[in-house]
Amino acid sequence: MTFETLFAASHVYIGNTIWYLVVFAILMLLVKHYAWGPVSDMMEKRRQKVIEDLDSAESNRKKAEILANEREAALKNSRQEATQILSDAKTNAQKIGSQIVADANNDAASIRKKAEADAKKAKADAINDARREVADISVAIAEKIIAKNLSAEDQKDLVDQFIKGLNG
């Protein structure tokens, strides 16, 4: 092969190579303009969305943690309040129980005093009734004694009749 044939053959190859480079550059510009820009924008948007989702997830995790802590604190407070309510109810029940016992004792004492007063009055009434009856009987005996002179035998009979009258 001669130099000219070699140069002619390489010239064809160089021309093709330049043509391929020009077409390749044009294709690269078209890809950059129509595909690379939108793909890059889409990838950037996707990257931003992933970042936002991660930030949102972190924010939601922190909020959930705060809410869990608040719930735990509220539960602890409600337990304390329940314990306090039970303690107050127990104290009030003891006070009310003591008051009921004291009232019952006072009522029993007043009933006992009233019963004693009623018994004293009944006793006094019975004694007064007995005195009246004894007085009536004494007057009746005195009338009989005055009406007739009694012998010892008559007096004994009169006393026996009097005793029988008390029993009957």
Side-chain angles (χ1 to χ4, degrees):
M1 294 202 164
T2 63
F3 182 71
E4 291 176 2
T5 56
L6 199 51
F7 181 71
S10 71
H11 182 46
V12 171
Y13 293 125
I14 292 177
N16 283 342
T17 304
I18 292 174
W19 173 251
Y20 290 137
L21 287 176
V22 169
V23 169
F24 181 75
I26 291 171
L27 283 175
M28 289 304 283
L29 288 174
L30 289 173
V31 166
K32 182 180 178 192
H33 181 67
Y34 290 108
W36 189 259
V39 168
S40 293
D41 289 344
M42 181 183 68
M43 294 301 284
E44 180 62 25
K45 287 178 184 176
R46 178 75 178 140
R47 187 180 71 82
Q48 288 297 329
K49 180 155 179 25
V50 168
I51 290 171
E52 288 173 5
D53 288 347
L54 289 174
D55 290 343
S56 175
E58 180 66 20
S59 173
N60 288 340
R61 186 191 63 77
K62 287 180 181 178
K63 287 178 184 176
E65 188 175 306
I66 289 170
L67 288 174
N69 289 339
E70 288 175 357
R71 228 184 351 230
E72 185 67 31
L75 181 62
K76 188 182 285 186
N77 287 340
S78 66
R79 285 182 185 154
Q80 289 174 350
E81 288 175 10
T83 303
Q84 184 64 35
I85 288 169
L86 287 175
S87 175
D88 291 345
K90 186 177 179 182
T91 303
N92 287 341
Q94 288 174 345
K95 286 179 184 177
I96 290 171
S98 298
Q99 184 64 38
I100 289 171
V101 169
D103 290 346
N105 286 337
N106 290 339
D107 290 346
S110 67
I111 290 170
R112 195 174 22 250
K113 287 179 183 177
K114 187 174 187 285
E116 287 174 1
D118 289 346
K120 285 181 183 178
K121 185 174 185 273
K123 182 179 176 183
D125 289 346
I127 290 173
N128 288 336
D129 287 344
R131 283 185 186 158
R132 271 187 251 117
E133 286 185 29
V134 168
D136 290 345
I137 293 171
S138 297
V139 169
I141 292 174
E143 285 177 355
K144 288 183 183 181
I145 292 177
I146 294 176
K148 76 175 189 184
N149 244 343
L150 297 177
S151 65
E153 180 88 19
D154 289 336
Q155 286 180 1
K156 186 178 176 198
D157 287 338
L158 191 60
V159 169
D160 286 341
Q161 287 177 359
F162 175 73
I163 291 175
K164 284 180 186 176
L166 287 177
N167 287 336

